[in-house]
Amino acid sequence: MAKLFLSLLTFLLLFSLSFALRGSTWQQGQCRISRINAQEPTRRIQAEGGVSEFWDHNSDEFQCAGVSIHRHRLQARALMLPAYHNAPILAYVQQGRGMYGVMISGCPETFESSQQQFEEGRGAQRFRDRHQKIGQFREGDILAFPAGAAHWAYNNGDQELVIVVLQDNANNANQLDPNPRSFFLAGNPAGRGQEQQEYAPQLGRKRGQHQFGNVFRGFDVQILSEVFGVDEQAARSLQGENDERGHIITVARGLQVISPPLQREEYGRQEEEPYYGRRDNGLEETICSAKLRENIDKPSRADIYNPRAGRFSTINSLTLPILSFLQLSAARGVLYRNGIMAPHWCVNAHSVIYVTRGESDMQIVSHNGQAVFDGRVREGQVVVVPQNFAVVKRAGEQGCEWVEFNTNDNALINTLSGRTSALRGLPADVIANAYQISREEAQRLKYSRRETMMFSGSFRSSRERVASA
């Protein structure tokens, strides 16, 4: 038993060490940033059933964080063809609903349909279809997919499906270069190349664009015919040589798959189940049965809430254990009108912020005291906040909502003001001497804010009214 414990402990230490060296072989020197920009997509690829938009992952901010961002828009009855990637991905469902499947070699095909067939007077059961399990998702869900795990998505709703995807190219699971790659298992993803559009063609492409293609196209037709046991015509269909539909196709009659019925009430109950810390011991949950989805939009699951300012929710490896394997986490922020999120820094991760609604004024400060970003971010824009850079947000008149991807499975935040801030933990005399103020002013500076992280905007407004009187 002692040897088993030591073996497990050694494995965990080596596992942790491997991710502690995240991207160190190529990421060194990439974070010498003097300016950060709020970015929008620079590339657009149109397909039959939708469109994919890509942010320029060659920008200094994305190179520093070691990630890339893209957004998929699927029309009703649109299917994103199965593909796998060279790095783990974390996706946020901004709008709509649908279903997805993940194909992992060695996992059982637990979804099956059957029909009775009688032969020679004896009953025999023949399976019409059998496949790995299928999941449902809806607006507000976070979806996690390991590197190399092929997956697909289908829009079974009535409105456009919008999914924002982060690909962690600096993750230790990616042993290629930092360029994002997608390996499709069907179709001809570049078949509609004439409908690719560069929003900003003047931008340099020093490391190349997001690369993708059908892996079957490189194999010989005769080899494919032999390994699949089909004729050469069917083998050519695998290669998608004459398929001009692109990487998102339209399923005219709707997708017919084996999936258990899921009522709205049942979905709601599943989301409301409490999760009291990590209960796994490494044996109960395997990669085949791992939960890959968690909803982050529900106000009832907020970690921090101020009825006058807004709320902040997180999903990490404690609430979605698969994230400990991916070394990623996510957060969801909602600020009401003129609400403020306290100045803070992320201790152990880069943060990639995607604004889903509204706008906010944001400031980001580097280690040398320079404001590397001081501007307004709007819906659809992305801002990268490097590790330990301090950031503050103030919502506009319409409020602001965002989703935040973090490059650590348990991202930690330290605040500069508020009830649990760094200044609150300092003795008043240290504050007085550090800032050359009186002890009374130090007390006011230390205790003026009683909120934790989400501040209402009325505090500043009242002081401005007094000053102008």
Side-chain angles (χ1 to χ4, degrees):
M1 180 63 73
K3 291 183 178 180
L4 176 61
F5 175 79
L6 289 175
S7 298
L8 289 173
L9 182 60
T10 302
F11 171 79
L12 291 174
L13 289 174
L14 292 174
F15 183 85
S16 301
L17 179 61
S18 66
F19 284 108
L21 299 176
R22 177 184 185 271
S24 60
T25 56
W26 66 270
Q27 204 178 354
Q28 292 178 352
Q30 297 290 337
C31 292
R32 297 173 183 173
I33 295 176
S34 60
R35 183 180 179 183
I36 289 176
N37 299 299
Q39 302 195 38
E40 297 183 359
T42 58
R43 185 185 180 202
R44 183 177 187 270
I45 300 181
Q46 181 71 49
E48 178 191 55
V51 62
S52 293
E53 300 164 302
F54 299 84
W55 276 255
D56 180 23
H57 72 277
N58 296 306
S59 69
D60 292 339
E61 302 97 304
F62 284 119
Q63 287 294 304
C64 171
V67 302
S68 56
I69 290 280
H70 51 277
R71 178 173 60 202
H72 302 300
R73 298 180 179 272
L74 279 67
Q75 303 167 4
R77 295 186 177 182
L79 170 68
M80 176 166 288
L81 295 176
Y84 60 92
H85 309 277
N86 61 322
I89 67 174
L90 207 58
Y92 171 73
V93 184
Q94 183 179 356
Q95 176 183 294
R97 63 182 177 87
M99 62 175 64
Y100 70 96
V102 182
M103 293 78 71
I104 301 177
S105 296
C107 293
E109 301 163 346
T110 55
F111 282 32
E112 58 189 20
S113 64
S114 63
Q115 66 179 10
Q116 295 293 331
Q117 182 182 33
F118 294 92
E119 298 177 356
E120 299 180 359
R122 300 176 60 183
Q125 194 174 57
R126 181 172 66 88
F127 291 98
R128 291 182 296 180
D129 192 15
R130 177 185 292 165
H131 53 70
Q132 293 185 15
K133 67 178 183 180
I134 290 175
Q136 307 277 345
F137 61 80
R138 62 170 181 174
E139 182 175 323
D141 277 352
I142 292 289
L143 301 170
F145 300 106
H151 55 276
W152 55 267
Y154 175 70
N155 181 1
N156 61 2
D158 298 325
Q159 62 176 330
E160 183 183 52
L161 173 63
V162 182
I163 304 177
V164 182
V165 180
L166 175 133
Q167 186 165 327
D168 186 17
N169 306 307
N171 194 285
N172 194 60
N174 176 26
Q175 299 189 24
L176 300 174
D177 57 43
N179 290 321
R181 288 179 167 88
S182 299
F183 301 78
F184 279 84
L185 303 184
N188 183 9
R192 298 172 68 93
Q194 69 277 8
E195 298 192 32
Q196 298 188 17
Q197 177 183 351
E198 294 289 341
Y199 291 147
Q202 72 278 7
L203 293 175
R205 294 291 182 266
K206 58 186 177 183
R207 289 182 183 267
Q209 298 175 336
H210 191 127
Q211 304 166 21
F212 47 83
N214 185 337
V215 296
F216 289 123
R217 296 199 69 177
F219 290 113
D220 183 79
V221 173
Q222 293 181 346
I223 289 293
L224 292 176
S225 175
E226 185 173 351
V227 298
F228 282 99
V230 296
D231 57 35
E232 292 190 3
Q233 182 177 355
R236 290 191 179 91
S237 297
L238 290 174
Q239 297 179 327
E241 185 174 351
N242 299 316
D243 193 340
E244 294 296 321
R245 298 174 298 172
H247 62 296
I248 305 174
I249 66 173
T250 300
V251 184
R253 297 184 179 180
L255 196 65
Q256 304 297 319
V257 296
I258 309 165
S259 180
L262 188 62
Q263 299 179 354
R264 184 181 300 271
E265 304 81 26
E266 182 182 359
Y267 200 152
R269 275 201 308 274
Q270 289 179 346
E271 293 298 327
E272 291 292 348
E273 290 180 359
Y275 191 94
Y276 300 105
R278 294 189 66 166
R279 296 188 297 268
D280 63 293
N281 63 5
L283 299 177
E284 293 94 337
E285 185 175 79
T286 67
I287 191 65
C288 297
S289 60
K291 182 181 179 183
L292 304 177
R293 176 190 59 82
E294 180 76 17
N295 193 275
I296 199 173
D297 268 10
K298 282 196 165 189
S300 59
R301 74 176 312 282
D303 297 299
I304 298 172
Y305 174 65
N306 183 338
R308 299 179 60 188
R311 66 180 186 271
F312 191 74
S313 307
T314 60
I315 288 179
N316 53 35
S317 57
L318 300 178
T319 50
L320 190 60
I322 186 68
L323 295 180
S324 64
F325 179 64
L326 273 59
Q327 287 292 289
L328 294 170
S329 59
R332 177 79 163 130
V334 176
L335 281 175
Y336 305 148
R337 176 182 177 182
N338 297 326
I340 301 173
M341 186 170 182
H344 64 277
W345 74 92
C346 190
V347 175
N348 55 354
H350 302 297
S351 298
V352 182
I353 297 171
Y354 172 83
V355 180
T356 60
R357 185 175 292 116
E359 58 184 19
S360 75
D361 294 320
M362 183 184 297
Q363 293 181 337
I364 304 173
V365 179
S366 67
H367 63 282
N368 58 11
Q370 176 188 359
V372 293
F373 181 82
D374 186 359
R376 176 158 292 194
V377 292
R378 298 176 175 84
E379 180 177 340
Q381 291 184 322
V382 171
V383 176
V384 177
V385 183
Q387 177 186 6
N388 291 326
F389 280 41
V391 58
V392 63
K393 307 180 188 74
R394 181 185 179 93
E397 292 295 318
Q398 304 302 319
C400 183
E401 300 181 15
W402 70 92
V403 63
E404 185 175 309
F405 302 103
N406 299 306
T407 59
N408 191 291
D409 68 304
N410 191 14
L412 303 176
I413 288 178
N414 276 353
T415 55
L416 289 168
S417 64
R419 186 166 53 86
T420 58
S421 67
L423 261 65
R424 192 69 174 262
L426 291 174
D429 208 42
V430 172
I431 296 175
N433 283 276
Y435 302 121
Q436 301 183 70
I437 58 179
S438 68
R439 189 176 179 86
E440 291 72 22
E441 288 176 314
Q443 292 282 356
R444 286 194 296 270
L445 181 66
K446 182 176 179 177
Y447 295 107
S448 59
R449 279 290 189 181
R450 297 182 179 180
E451 302 100 322
T452 302
M453 183 183 291
M454 315 301 278
F455 300 161
S456 63
S458 58
F459 183 82
R460 175 182 169 184
S461 300
S462 62
R463 294 194 62 176
E464 288 177 342
R465 286 195 296 268
V466 171
S468 61

